Amino acid sequence: MQFPAYAQLRPVTDSASVVLCDNPSYGALEGTNSWIIRAPEDDDAIVVDPGPEDEGHLNVLSARGHRVALILLTHRHHDHAAGALRFRQLTGAPVRAIDERYCIGGEPLVDGEIISLEDVTPELRVAHTPGHTQDSACFFVYTREAGNSPLEGIITGDTIAGRHTTMISETDGDLGRYLDTLSMLEAEGRDVPLLPGHGEELPDLSVMARKYIDRRHYRLQQIQEQWEKHGRDISVDRLVDEMYQDVDPVLRDAALQSTRVALRYLATQG
């Protein structure tokens, strides 16, 4: 994959550009994608996910020849949101998120809300998309008026990445709600570009949503098969040993969390 350099503003659609933060890791892939929403003629912009508290990255986001009018968070995780307070200090823009605890000078986001700013031509539609975390949100990017102009792409944060699957938070993630979220995105994202929180953008979000759904059902099937072989008293550690034989040991903790979340989901299915 040819991936862009860090700290470079790269247009992706008519209204959405991305800056890649230099914070690569197993979870963040090459780094966090910070999205800048504005038409070429706009003086103001909306920034989605300023990323970690990285002064260099935040300065790149705030020094692009436009005023940042609003900061949005797809969810609370530090690689997306830790820089929000400092970015507000640099720009003066309010920070809005689904969870009011992560809002700074702005109101909590509401599912279905249309974000329309006077000096930003594109509009965003908020979709509360719980699963990865309870406070996860996606943003539908419209060229002008939401619903009456082209849907250019959907910013997904960690709900769907540009490749690989994403972890479900053990503290407040929910596999059942995540499967519902993925089904919604598969339906609404057909032939719509995926603008992910990590990894490269893709031309059809629905394709990746289907892969995510299939992968989750595959893991659930694996658990059922291990129960048949070893009984339901099999430990989570043993389940992970059997199910994730091809996974890098560095990702074992993520596999343990995902398995415990899957077990919690199966317990609700009777």
Side-chain angles (χ1 to χ4, degrees):
M1 179 180 72
Q2 296 297 316
F3 213 79
Y6 296 113
Q8 299 295 314
L9 180 70
R10 181 171 61 88
V12 176
T13 73
D14 290 343
S15 304
S17 299
V18 66
V19 178
L20 177 64
C21 183
D22 188 3
N23 62 326
S25 69
Y26 276 96
L29 302 179
E30 290 82 7
T32 299
N33 292 327
S34 294
W35 292 94
I36 298 177
I37 308 302
R38 63 186 286 268
E41 68 274 14
D42 290 343
D43 292 326
D44 288 4
I46 298 169
V47 171
V48 180
D49 285 354
E53 193 172 358
D54 181 303
E55 196 76 9
H57 179 68
L58 298 177
N59 281 324
V60 169
L61 293 176
S62 62
R64 305 306 311 182
H66 55 256
R67 185 180 77 91
V68 177
L70 179 62
I71 303 162
L72 300 175
L73 303 179
T74 60
H75 64 301
R76 69 179 187 277
H77 283 163
H78 68 90
D79 55 329
H80 295 260
L85 175 58
R86 176 57 179 154
F87 197 50
R88 172 169 166 75
Q89 293 171 345
L90 291 171
T91 64
V95 180
R96 299 188 64 197
I98 288 287
D99 190 329
E100 64 180 357
R101 292 176 295 175
Y102 303 99
C103 296
I104 310 171
E107 296 296 317
L109 296 168
V110 177
D111 183 46
E113 174 185 357
I114 303 301
I115 295 176
S116 178
L117 302 184
E118 182 177 352
D119 295 317
V120 179
T121 302
E123 292 189 350
L124 304 180
R125 174 162 62 90
V126 178
H128 182 204
T129 51
H132 171 66
T133 60
Q134 168 58 27
D135 68 326
S136 289
C138 293
F139 300 100
F140 290 58
V141 182
Y142 292 89
T143 303
R144 293 177 299 278
E145 294 181 3
N148 295 316
S149 67
L151 176 56
E152 296 184 17
I154 302 174
I155 299 173
T156 57
D158 279 354
T159 296
I160 298 181
R163 66 179 191 280
H164 303 323
T165 54
T166 192
M167 184 184 73
I168 301 176
S169 172
E170 189 175 356
T171 56
D172 69 341
D174 186 292
L175 179 53
R177 300 192 76 183
Y178 190 40
L179 290 170
D180 290 341
T181 284
L182 293 172
S183 294
M184 180 276 290
L185 290 173
E186 181 183 27
E188 296 206 34
R190 196 169 307 281
D191 298 322
V192 177
L194 166 67
L195 309 179
H198 304 285
E200 63 182 334
E201 67 275 4
L202 296 172
D204 188 342
L205 185 153
S206 69
V207 173
M208 189 60 79
R210 173 44 52 183
K211 288 182 179 179
Y212 271 42
I213 293 168
D214 290 345
R215 192 63 174 175
R216 292 297 171 184
H217 283 296
Y218 170 68
R219 292 301 187 194
L220 292 172
Q221 179 183 347
Q222 282 186 301
I223 292 174
Q224 298 280 5
E225 291 172 350
Q226 292 304 315
W227 279 351
E228 291 177 5
K229 289 181 180 179
H230 305 290
R232 296 202 174 204
D233 291 335
I234 184 174
S235 68
V236 177
D237 279 324
R238 177 74 182 280
L239 277 173
V240 169
D241 289 341
E242 296 292 335
M243 294 167 53
Y244 290 87
Q245 296 180 13
D246 58 342
V247 171
D248 192 306
V250 174
L251 298 175
R252 182 177 178 83
D253 182 65
L256 284 165
Q257 284 199 54
S258 291
T259 302
R260 285 192 284 263
V261 168
L263 289 169
R264 192 165 63 202
Y265 168 77
L266 287 172
T268 68
Q269 302 305 297

